[in-house]
């Protein structure tokens, strides 16, 4: 079993930085785009960085398998034997990459006994990196400065009209499930991982996702949010699972920065 150490985290951060440099190289030129079976785009950048990350992580820890969004056709019967594994998204926000918004990232997480315990989210064009390790706190590095992320104790404003800030890609469906007592400020921003970062920083109260994602889209965010007192839950207010189902597609979910808030009173999914 791979033990969590400062050196391991340093090595993973270094690998993420190198992957980010590769993404910058592809971002500076025209890339080839294909459409996958699930109708989502994939570029040569996704595929190159996926292979790079797999090779680097296997060198770092030869006994730990790597599960990548671009290399995930592994049946549960085989995956079920894994006590630990790396789960990676070489380019979280491929559409953002194609649209040239700068708001995309590399994501690396280490999962142990079905629980993410180390997570790195690196946005190379934004020069911003989020990272967290189980029990060691969460941090953001911005323009070279390392900033600890404090546990989020923010309470939603108590007044006749309550206020909530939600990160999202689509606001219309979300209005239908939020209690009418709340006025909503929507933040439309970047890839899933970067919206998770906004929640971890306290810039958004939550991020709501009604649409398909993979376990690689949320694993690093699980560690980040847990370390600031947040969580991720599905529409039944249950936690997400890792490597416990044949499918790797997540249910629709909500990421929150403060799990002490009564989110069942806010989101009326039924």
């Amino acid at each position: 079993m791979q033990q969590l150490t400062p050196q391991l985290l340093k090595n993973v951060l270094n690998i993420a930085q190198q992957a980010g440099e590769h993404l910058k190289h592809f971002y500076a030129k025209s890339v080839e785009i294909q459409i996958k079976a699930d109708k989502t785009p994939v570029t040569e950048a996704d595929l190159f960085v996926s292979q790079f990350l797999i090779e680097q992580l296997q060198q770092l820890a030869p006994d730990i398998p790597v599960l990548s969004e671009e290399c995930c056709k592994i049946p549960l019967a085989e995956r079920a034997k894994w006590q630990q594994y790396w789960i990676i998204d070489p380019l979280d926000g491929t559409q953002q990459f194609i649209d040239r918004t700068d708001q995309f990232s590399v994501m690396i997480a280490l999962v142990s006994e079905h629980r993410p315990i180390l997570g790195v989210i690196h946005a190379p064009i934004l020069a911003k990196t989020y990272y967290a390790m189980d029990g060691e706190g969460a941090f953001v590095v911005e323009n070279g400065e390392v900033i600890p992320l404090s546990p989020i104790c923010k309470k939603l404003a108590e007044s006749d009209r309550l206020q909530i800030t939600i990160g999202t890609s689509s606001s219309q469906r979300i209005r239908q499930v939020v209690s009418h007592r709340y006025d909503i400020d929507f933040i439309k921003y970047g890839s899933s991982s970067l919206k998770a970062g906004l929640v971890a920083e306290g810039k958004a109260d939550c991020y709501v996702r009604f649409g398909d994602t993979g376990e690689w889209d949320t694993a690093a965010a699980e560690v980040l949010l847990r370390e600031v007192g947040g969580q991720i839950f599905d529409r039944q207010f249950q936690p997400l699972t890792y490597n416990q189902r044949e499918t790797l597609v997540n249910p629709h979910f909500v990421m929150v920065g403060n799990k002490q808030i009564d989110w069942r009173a806010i989101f009326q999914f039924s």
Side-chain angles (χ1 to χ4, degrees):
M1 293 280 281
Q2 177 66 59
Q3 299 301 310
L4 293 180
T5 64
Q7 186 60 51
L8 177 69
L9 178 60
K10 183 179 179 181
N11 290 337
V12 176
L13 284 166
N14 185 45
I15 291 169
Q17 291 278 349
Q18 292 178 59
E21 292 304 308
H22 286 303
L23 283 181
K24 284 184 185 177
H25 172 75
F26 283 104
Y27 200 55
K29 63 175 188 172
S30 176
V31 295
E32 181 182 334
I33 303 168
Q34 302 170 20
I35 302 300
K36 295 192 285 190
D38 64 0
K39 304 294 192 294
T40 60
V42 63
T43 72
E44 57 184 316
D46 296 74
L47 301 174
F48 180 91
V49 174
S50 177
Q51 189 58 38
F52 170 80
L53 289 172
I54 290 169
E55 290 172 1
Q56 294 295 311
L57 291 168
Q58 286 178 336
Q59 284 183 30
L60 178 63
D63 296 332
I64 301 180
V66 183
L67 181 65
S68 170
E69 177 180 12
E70 307 310 334
C71 189
C72 62
K73 301 275 191 282
I74 304 170
L76 180 61
E78 181 177 342
R79 291 188 277 113
K81 301 170 188 173
W82 298 352
Q83 284 188 297
Q84 287 186 324
Y85 64 100
W86 300 104
I87 185 166
I88 62 173
D89 191 341
L91 176 47
D92 179 49
T94 299
Q95 193 62 55
Q96 309 288 339
F97 183 92
I98 293 167
D99 293 343
R100 309 196 67 75
T101 70
D102 298 350
Q103 297 169 2
F104 55 85
S105 74
V106 178
M107 286 206 292
I108 305 173
L110 177 62
V111 181
S112 184
E113 305 288 3
H114 308 294
R115 182 174 180 267
I117 58 172
L118 181 154
V120 172
I121 299 166
H122 174 55
I125 307 301
L126 303 179
K128 192 168 190 176
T129 307
Y130 300 94
Y131 66 90
M133 200 161 64
D134 201 23
E136 299 295 332
F139 302 83
V140 60
V141 184
E142 198 156 14
N143 298 314
E145 182 184 2
V146 181
I147 304 165
L149 295 177
S150 301
I152 295 169
C153 302
K154 175 183 175 185
K155 302 295 182 188
L156 300 181
E158 292 291 343
S159 63
D160 290 340
R161 294 295 298 170
L162 304 181
Q163 192 74 34
I164 186 171
T165 303
I166 299 178
T168 185
S169 302
S170 172
S171 56
Q172 187 170 3
R173 291 178 67 190
I174 294 171
R175 288 189 185 278
Q176 298 169 3
V177 299
V178 174
S179 165
H180 68 275
R181 298 176 63 217
Y182 285 84
D183 288 325
I184 307 172
D185 283 337
F186 287 110
I187 300 178
K188 293 192 176 180
Y189 186 79
S191 62
S192 276
S193 60
L194 296 183
K195 285 192 276 286
L198 292 182
V199 175
E201 289 186 80
K203 294 177 179 176
D205 297 309
C206 60
Y207 158 42
V208 182
R209 175 67 185 224
F210 293 158
D212 285 351
T213 58
E215 292 181 12
W216 43 79
D217 288 307
T218 54
E222 287 271 4
V223 194
L224 191 70
L225 292 171
R226 188 192 314 134
E227 290 298 304
V228 297
Q231 64 180 149
I232 310 177
F233 52 78
D234 64 18
R235 292 171 70 130
Q236 282 72 49
F237 299 93
Q238 296 301 306
L240 301 185
T241 63
Y242 292 88
N243 201 28
Q244 292 179 285
R245 300 169 298 141
E246 195 65 61
T247 180
L248 292 162
V249 177
N250 283 324
H252 298 174
F253 62 75
V254 181
M255 294 184 181
V256 303
N258 181 358
K259 65 182 181 183
Q260 303 303 325
I261 290 171
D262 184 6
W263 293 102
R264 290 172 183 265
I266 297 170
F267 291 107
Q268 300 170 347
F269 294 122
S270 58

